Amino acid sequence: MIGKGSEEQKTIRVIRAYQAATLAVALFSSVWTLIFAMNGLLAVAVAESVPVIISLACFVLVSRGKFGLVNLIVQISFLVFIICFSLMFDVPEPGFPRVTHLFLPVLGMLGYLNHLRRPSRLQILIIAASVITFIVLHAADLRLPFAEPLPAELRSVGIWMNPAIATLVFCSTIYVLQKHLSAPTGLARDLVRGMQRGELTLAYQPQVDREGKIVGAEALLRWNHPTKGAISPASFIPAAEDVGLMPIIGSYVLDQALSTLALWQADPKCAALTLSVNVSASQFNESDFCVTVRDLLSRHGVDPKRLQLELTESVLIAGLEPVADKMAELTTLGVTFSLDDFGTGFSSLAYLRSLPVAELKIDRSFVASITESDRAAALVRSILTLAQDLGLRTVAEGVETQAQFAFLDGVGCEIFQGWLFGRPMPLAEFEALLSAPPERPAASGTLRPAARLAAG
């Protein structure tokens, strides 16, 4: 499990911020489009309407959670637009300097922020093009042979308005960058270096059936810092979320998990095991998530049926339809999906009607109180009855006592996960645990031998 908590709220804030930005650009460009049209400058009005169209298209893409695609479209489109507008309409004249190119440093800064979130060579090329183009347009009187300079009365407004807006956006971007490079991000930068140095590892928590036989595991991310020691996921996951590292970390976890599945596939005693991997909302909503999963499965040569992706309701912030489409695409490959923390959200029943989910994972908060609260016990019974009626497998997480296991077993739960059967452990310990003979948990209240071994 690599990230839950406040992730849903952060995803909502990111979507709202992107939507506000795209609408602000659309509004600003619409105003200029009307001004140009009212002054009879139809060619300029048509050109100025291009950012309106781009912004509205990006608004739709953001609403569907396609942040990576939006970033590229915005940067490349506005880079081309600024260059063309500067060479065609905003050409230097006596008393009227060129001002449209002042947005290029802003574009470069925004590109740098995106590069911090998800490094790529294409992003670096866009940043370099923005900076170099700004220098060239500022230093040289370049214009197209058929350029049509704007009328003086409009330029007298533009030479004040455009620099003011560019400065405001630039200062806002610097503020955001400062937030990214402050204390929480310092831990995130350590996290990036930790990934490069191999400090991040996976721990494996057993999942057992009703007879105590291990049938799979959940991959859990762990970070052992060289000077700070073991750092809790509760500390480094929020830092990673703040700077947009979760898609990168999620891809790393998925790659390592599939590498493990490839090893198990070649071992007869492990070949039937499944491995569950938690997927964050920001990772799942990346436009290339399905391609990434497909490529990793192909690279490792893993049977997709052995991979189980755990999703929480936070992935649905971007909309039910795009999420269902992605799940359906991966389901056709053989990948199965588990709805994690089931029962803690508001719309789980509606999601079950539309999403190709194969498993429900009962949240540990219910499991912890089933032997003490009649209401919690009734809720768990209802969840299990619902799952049985829908033909879904059920997993109870956080099983720590014999009494909890006895209740869950008695009401029909199929798979169990928790400290009663083993804590998260290194791969070597987990594989050693597989050699121990399965033993159904006894009613005596003592841990079975395998669980004692896992607890160390």
Side-chain angles (χ1 to χ4, degrees), residues 346-411:
F346 297 103
S347 306
S348 297
L349 296 179
Y351 297 154
L352 290 180
R353 185 174 54 195
S354 305
L355 301 179
V357 175
E359 176 184 279
L360 297 185
K361 199 165 190 181
I362 302 172
D363 185 65
R364 65 179 63 245
S365 62
F366 294 131
V367 174
S369 55
I370 54 176
T371 58
E372 303 167 359
S373 167
D374 292 339
R375 179 168 296 184
L379 285 171
V380 170
R381 286 194 193 95
S382 298
I383 292 173
L384 289 168
T385 300
L386 174 66
Q388 291 167 2
D389 291 342
L390 295 176
L392 304 178
R393 189 171 75 159
T394 51
V395 178
E397 63 177 347
V399 182
E400 298 183 359
T401 68
Q402 295 288 350
Q404 291 169 355
F405 168 78
F407 174 87
L408 292 165
D409 184 31
V411 294

Side-chain angles (χ1 to χ4, degrees), residues 167-447:
T167 301
L168 177 62
V169 178
F170 190 76
C171 291
S172 301
T173 306
I174 290 177
Y175 172 76
V176 175
L177 181 62
Q178 186 272 334
K179 293 281 288 181
H180 278 287
L181 298 177
S182 59
T185 314
L187 183 62
R189 288 199 303 271
D190 283 349
L191 184 57
V192 173
R193 288 193 287 266
M195 290 177 61
Q196 297 170 344
R197 294 193 293 251
E199 296 168 8
L200 297 184
T201 59
L202 295 187
Y204 299 83
Q205 185 167 32
Q207 295 178 335
V208 306
D209 63 14
R210 302 169 77 173
E211 300 303 320
K213 178 184 177 182
I214 297 177
V215 294
E218 180 179 1
L220 301 162
L221 186 63
R222 296 292 182 262
W223 181 16
N224 188 24
H225 194 280
T227 58
K228 300 176 183 178
I231 298 180
S232 169
S235 298
F236 70 79
I237 291 299
E241 290 173 349
D242 286 339
V243 294
L245 284 174
M246 289 309 299
I248 301 174
I249 294 176
S251 295
Y252 169 81
V253 171
L254 191 57
D255 182 51
Q256 294 298 306
L258 289 175
S259 177
T260 298
L261 273 176
L263 294 175
W264 288 355
Q265 198 166 264
D267 187 343
K269 73 174 184 293
C270 306
L273 296 179
T274 60
L275 187 58
S276 297
V277 179
N278 184 266
V279 177
S280 68
S282 54
Q283 179 188 4
F284 186 84
N285 288 322
E286 287 286 306
S287 58
D288 61 348
F289 177 72
C290 291
V291 175
T292 299
V293 174
R294 188 186 304 112
D295 290 346
L296 287 173
L297 286 168
S298 176
R299 183 194 311 167
H300 292 286
V302 169
D303 180 1
K305 295 178 182 178
R306 302 302 174 201
L307 176 63
Q308 181 118 354
L309 299 181
E310 295 189 4
L311 306 178
T312 62
E313 290 187 23
S314 61
V315 303
L316 295 156
I317 295 302
L320 182 62
E321 184 178 347
V323 171
D325 290 343
K326 282 187 177 181
M327 292 178 66
E329 181 178 346
L330 292 174
T331 300
T332 58
L333 297 178
V335 177
T336 55
F337 287 91
S338 173
L339 190 56
D340 201 5
D341 295 344
F342 186 79
T344 60
F346 297 103
S347 306
S348 297
L349 296 179
Y351 297 154
L352 290 180
R353 185 174 54 195
S354 305
L355 301 179
V357 175
E359 176 184 279
L360 297 185
K361 199 165 190 181
I362 302 172
D363 185 65
R364 65 179 63 245
S365 62
F366 294 131
V367 174
S369 55
I370 54 176
T371 58
E372 303 167 359
S373 167
D374 292 339
R375 179 168 296 184
L379 285 171
V380 170
R381 286 194 193 95
S382 298
I383 292 173
L384 289 168
T385 300
L386 174 66
Q388 291 167 2
D389 291 342
L390 295 176
L392 304 178
R393 189 171 75 159
T394 51
V395 178
E397 63 177 347
V399 182
E400 298 183 359
T401 68
Q402 295 288 350
Q404 291 169 355
F405 168 78
F407 174 87
L408 292 165
D409 184 31
V411 294
C413 187
E414 301 170 76
I415 307 298
F416 309 86
Q417 178 182 339
W419 284 12
L420 181 64
F421 309 99
R423 300 189 184 192
M425 62 191 75
L427 180 60
E429 289 186 25
F430 177 82
E431 291 178 343
L433 191 61
L434 293 171
S435 301
E439 181 179 332
R440 181 181 174 86
S444 61
T446 58
L447 293 178

Side-chain angles (χ1 to χ4, degrees), residues 126-198:
I126 294 174
I127 296 170
S130 300
V131 174
I132 294 172
T133 305
F134 168 75
I135 295 173
V136 172
L137 290 176
H138 182 77
D141 181 10
L142 297 178
R143 65 184 71 196
L144 294 172
F146 46 87
E148 299 179 13
L150 296 174
E153 60 271 17
L154 292 179
R155 302 197 72 172
S156 62
V157 177
I159 60 174
W160 290 101
M161 182 179 293
N162 283 353
I165 295 175
T167 301
L168 177 62
V169 178
F170 190 76
C171 291
S172 301
T173 306
I174 290 177
Y175 172 76
V176 175
L177 181 62
Q178 186 272 334
K179 293 281 288 181
H180 278 287
L181 298 177
S182 59
T185 314
L187 183 62
R189 288 199 303 271
D190 283 349
L191 184 57
V192 173
R193 288 193 287 266
M195 290 177 61
Q196 297 170 344
R197 294 193 293 251

Side-chain angles (χ1 to χ4, degrees), residues 61 112 124 299 311 424:
L61 291 173
Y112 179 61
I124 292 176
R299 183 194 311 167
L311 306 178

